[in-house]
Amino acid sequence: MAKGPVIVLTGTPGTGKSTHAELLVNESPIPLRNINVSEWVKERGLYENYDEEWQTYTIDEDRLLDELEPLAAEGGLILDWHTCEVFPERWADLVVVLRCDHSKLWDRLEKRGYSLKKIQENNEAEIMQVVLEEARSSYPPQIVIELQSETTEDLESNIARLVEWIKLWLQNQGSS
Ligand SMILES: Nc1ncnc2c1ncn2[C@@H]1O[C@H](COP(=O)(O)OP(=O)(O)O)[C@@H](O)[C@H]1O
């Protein structure tokens, strides 16, 4: 039996995935392993090349999935990434899509030192809800939830909801 659920935590860069993941790890009733997939890809060299113009890596998806597969099977995992369609549907117990007002997002990405081009690209993606659509077309609707991540209050209530969801997941595992 899986040690815990697999939570795919996604959203446009800057919406608050890392912030949520860190807090959720601290507050979860069971140990969760948090994988920041972008960092994981860099550390393990799971990319084919680096695109200077867009300042992004072209991911070697086959190798990435091979490396993550045993961890997903084990469970108790948060997968933090700005895209989610790559992961097999069977891995995910919950897909959380974080959302943020685009002008707020712009400020966050500017502070992060992103190029104007990258800020514009991400800002537009957030307005067009690209990640949400991707999640909805890749996973069953009942496991996809959209959460606002604009304020500290949002953050706190999101974490409280996720902690409750994990407790329920554990209860359901025990009774099945
Ligand atoms: N709900 C929130 N309320 C206030 N600030 C937030 C919230 N979520 C994220 N932030 C801030 O926005 C910035 C980007 O958050 P981060 O977690 O790094 O995003 P991501 O991992 O999605 O790229 C950080 O400075 C973080 O403190």
Side-chain angles (χ1 to χ4, degrees), residues 106-155:
W106 187 287
D107 293 343
R108 289 182 189 174
L109 295 179
E110 212 165 38
K111 277 201 192 114
R112 195 179 264 185
Y114 272 19
S115 66
L116 183 60
K117 188 174 167 139
K118 231 176 149 175
I119 297 176
Q120 281 169 339
E121 183 203 18
N122 285 307
N123 202 46
E124 194 179 309
E126 185 58 18
I127 294 170
M128 299 309 287
Q129 50 186 50
V130 171
V131 182
L132 181 64
E133 299 297 337
E134 187 188 301
R136 285 183 175 153
S137 63
S138 308
Y139 299 93
Q142 65 274 20
I143 70 163
V144 177
I145 59 163
E146 180 186 4
L147 296 175
Q148 283 308 115
S149 171
E150 292 175 2
T151 63
T152 312
E153 289 73 28
D154 288 343
L155 178 62

Side-chain angles (χ1 to χ4, degrees), residues 14-142:
T15 47
K17 299 180 294 297
S18 301
T19 311
H20 278 72
E22 203 176 307
L23 259 182
L24 188 58
V25 165
N26 289 338
E27 309 223 348
S28 169
I30 46 161
L32 290 177
R33 178 172 183 172
N34 172 30
I35 295 186
N36 178 319
V37 177
S38 298
E39 294 298 323
W40 176 269
V41 161
K42 273 188 254 171
E43 281 164 23
R44 300 185 166 238
L46 304 174
Y47 52 86
E48 282 152 5
N49 53 46
Y50 181 70
D51 185 326
E52 289 287 344
E53 192 192 353
W54 286 98
Q55 299 168 327
T56 53
Y57 289 91
T58 310
I59 313 283
D60 185 336
E61 285 183 13
D62 290 339
R63 282 179 60 213
L64 173 65
L65 295 182
D66 282 350
E67 294 221 1
L68 288 176
E69 174 81 58
L71 303 180
E74 200 179 334
L77 188 67
I78 301 174
L79 292 169
D80 160 355
W81 208 18
H82 59 267
T83 178
C84 63
E85 65 191 353
V86 176
F87 307 128
E89 187 185 325
R90 64 187 155 79
W91 283 10
D93 294 292
L94 184 70
V95 180
V96 178
V97 184
L98 296 180
R99 303 299 311 277
C100 180
D101 167 72
H102 65 92
S103 55
K104 238 178 204 168
L105 189 69
W106 187 287
D107 293 343
R108 289 182 189 174
L109 295 179
E110 212 165 38
K111 277 201 192 114
R112 195 179 264 185
Y114 272 19
S115 66
L116 183 60
K117 188 174 167 139
K118 231 176 149 175
I119 297 176
Q120 281 169 339
E121 183 203 18
N122 285 307
N123 202 46
E124 194 179 309
E126 185 58 18
I127 294 170
M128 299 309 287
Q129 50 186 50
V130 171
V131 182
L132 181 64
E133 299 297 337
E134 187 188 301
R136 285 183 175 153
S137 63
S138 308
Y139 299 93
Q142 65 274 20

